[in-house]
Amino acid sequence: MTYDEWYPLRLDPRLSAKLWGGQRLAEQLHKPHSDGQPIGESWEAHDDAIITNGAHAGTRLLDLMRAHPRALLGDNADGDAPFPLLFKFIDAQQDLSVQVHPDDAQSRAREGYPFGKTEAWYILHADAGARIVHGFRRDVAEATVRDALARGTLEDLLAFVLVERGDVVFVPAGTVHAIGRGIVLAEIQQQSDITYRFYDWNRTDESGRPRALHVEQALQVVDFHALSAHTVTPLAIRADAYDRNFLAACRYFAWERLDVRARTPSLPLDKFALLSLIAGEAQIAYGAAFAQSMSIRKGETVLLSARMGAYQLAPVAETCVLLKAYVPDLRADVIAPLRAAGYDDTRIRQLGGADLDRNDLALRL
């Protein structure tokens, strides 16, 4: 396949009705209306996403990756593994369950699946007083959690954190967590949907039955330690045409917010990148001499393949804002540019979360 045959791949979102969802993905992100069904999630990029434009229209993302792993992902691609990332939008109009995810080793041992689930959230909207659960309020013992579950007092142990638009939350595997009502967010994560529910607020489904819980599995993978911080402070590298804001980074993904005011210089690609527009309208220029272009609107997600080599971004009118996700070389893609911009190692380290035992940047600084 030639250089010119690689282009930004539009991905068809997959909407999921959830009892805790609403209509804000349609209202705020141009997702299809759902005839009154409460939509909780829009899966934007995942194994089964269907490409909707160009020569690859109708192709499943995983099938394209299997056929052209290095062209799509980069030279270090593992064409036998799942697509490495899952990106989604979430509309929580009720509280989500209190849950936890396994790490890679636990997922392989317990579920026979290669990936655990480390994730990060970017808050797009939060009603006044909206909050999340992020870890325990204090260090606890397994027996304490079991007793609280039996007594119906688990909420007394949880760290409830107020959030607002623009907040970033890093959620490594093993962290007990929940998204609270009144929040719309973007989520980047490993390609995994393995979830163990601790508690579901005594909620029932449409048939009046309580949702399934996975207490024993959750207790086997949860981290019982409290976290010293709950949000990440983004780090900005400013340029004339755009600002590059680092939101979170770990071995599985780096996540940036790009605030684009004018046409950018050439932005190199040696690995794939997911771009999702969260404000305004953007134009992506690509190909030889950047002679080709396509526009994307708020709520759309595209995949840029490694073989594209480079691209440019420009706002169609005023400033546009995009979220960019990729699998990083942490030293080259995150640490080096931030050090060059004058950030010290302490500020860089916090992009990987408050738990230094599970902070991949701490191991490399």
Side-chain angles (χ1 to χ4, degrees):
M1 188 166 292
T2 67
Y3 173 89
D4 289 337
E5 291 180 55
W6 290 98
Y7 55 92
L9 305 172
R10 294 185 193 270
L11 303 175
D12 190 28
R14 186 173 80 191
L15 303 183
S16 296
K18 302 288 184 180
L19 59 88
W20 42 259
Q23 300 301 321
R24 283 180 169 168
L25 297 185
E27 296 165 359
Q28 298 182 11
L29 294 165
H30 296 134
K31 300 304 170 187
H33 285 277
S34 56
D35 298 324
Q37 280 192 306
I39 298 300
E41 298 183 344
S42 176
W43 284 31
E44 298 287 303
H46 55 96
D47 267 351
D48 293 324
I50 302 300
I51 298 160
T52 64
N53 65 318
H56 304 299
T59 303
R60 188 174 66 138
L61 178 57
L62 184 62
D63 294 334
L64 184 62
M65 188 187 85
R66 291 281 189 264
H68 306 283
R70 295 179 67 186
L72 186 70
L73 302 183
D75 288 342
N76 295 323
D78 181 355
D80 295 324
F83 185 73
L85 297 180
L86 194 161
F87 176 73
K88 63 176 75 168
F89 293 117
I90 292 177
D91 175 15
Q93 293 309 298
Q94 298 181 40
D95 296 327
L96 273 67
S97 61
V98 179
Q99 56 191 241
V100 68
H101 309 298
D103 63 22
D104 291 355
Q106 293 162 343
S107 180
R108 287 192 293 267
R110 298 174 183 280
E111 306 290 343
Y113 188 75
F115 295 160
K117 187 176 176 183
T118 284
E119 62 192 80
W121 305 335
Y122 182 81
I123 308 297
L124 297 169
H125 169 88
D127 290 348
R131 60 184 188 168
I132 62 170
V133 171
H134 190 238
F136 291 105
R137 185 174 300 178
R138 62 181 185 277
D139 290 355
V140 294
E142 179 180 335
T144 304
V145 177
R146 286 186 179 276
D147 182 66
L149 287 165
R151 293 173 179 270
T153 59
L154 180 67
E155 294 177 44
D156 295 341
L157 302 180
L158 302 174
F160 289 90
V161 182
L162 293 171
V163 293
E164 58 187 25
R165 181 181 178 183
D167 280 347
V168 181
V169 182
F170 184 73
V171 189
T175 304
V176 62
H177 64 277
I179 301 168
R181 69 184 67 187
I183 293 172
V184 178
L185 59 78
E187 177 178 295
I188 191 66
Q189 60 165 89
Q190 293 177 267
Q191 182 79 231
S192 172
D193 200 30
I194 300 171
T195 297
Y196 300 144
R197 295 193 194 99
F198 264 118
Y199 176 64
D200 197 37
W201 318 103
N202 301 313
R203 187 160 47 198
T204 58
D205 63 17
E206 299 86 347
S207 303
R209 296 171 298 190
R211 296 173 79 198
L213 300 179
H214 320 96
V215 172
E216 291 304 318
Q217 296 99 313
L219 288 169
Q220 295 301 310
V221 304
V222 72
D223 185 342
F224 294 103
H225 296 95
L227 294 167
S228 61
H230 299 288
T231 57
V232 173
T233 301
L235 303 180
I237 298 177
R238 305 193 186 281
D240 290 340
Y242 75 114
D243 296 338
R244 184 183 182 192
N245 303 276
F246 286 80
L247 305 179
C250 62
R251 74 187 72 179
Y252 305 113
F253 54 78
W255 211 14
E256 303 178 21
R257 191 189 74 231
L258 306 180
D259 301 340
V260 183
R261 295 177 294 275
R263 181 170 295 276
T264 67
S266 175
L267 303 176
L269 281 169
D270 62 356
K271 55 179 68 69
F272 83 92
L274 294 173
L275 291 180
S276 187
L277 194 68
I278 59 172
E281 186 176 356
Q283 185 182 71
I284 304 173
Y286 61 97
F290 302 111
Q292 301 179 71
S293 66
M294 63 181 283
S295 294
I296 60 172
R297 69 174 186 168
K298 184 179 180 182
E300 279 194 294
T301 298
V302 298
L303 189 153
L304 308 183
S305 65
R307 189 59 57 83
M308 279 176 55
Y311 65 104
Q312 291 180 325
L313 295 171
V316 171
E318 299 178 354
T319 297
C320 61
V321 181
L322 305 98
L323 296 177
K324 176 183 176 182
Y326 54 95
V327 178
D329 176 321
L330 285 173
R331 288 193 177 91
D333 297 328
V334 178
I335 294 171
L338 287 172
R339 279 177 170 170
Y343 290 105
D344 62 35
D345 288 355
T346 299
R347 297 184 72 184
I348 297 171
R349 184 181 299 115
Q350 58 88 39
L351 294 174
D355 185 345
L356 295 184
D357 290 337
R358 295 180 290 168
N359 184 315
D360 292 331
L361 287 169
L363 300 175
R364 291 161 174 82
L365 287 165

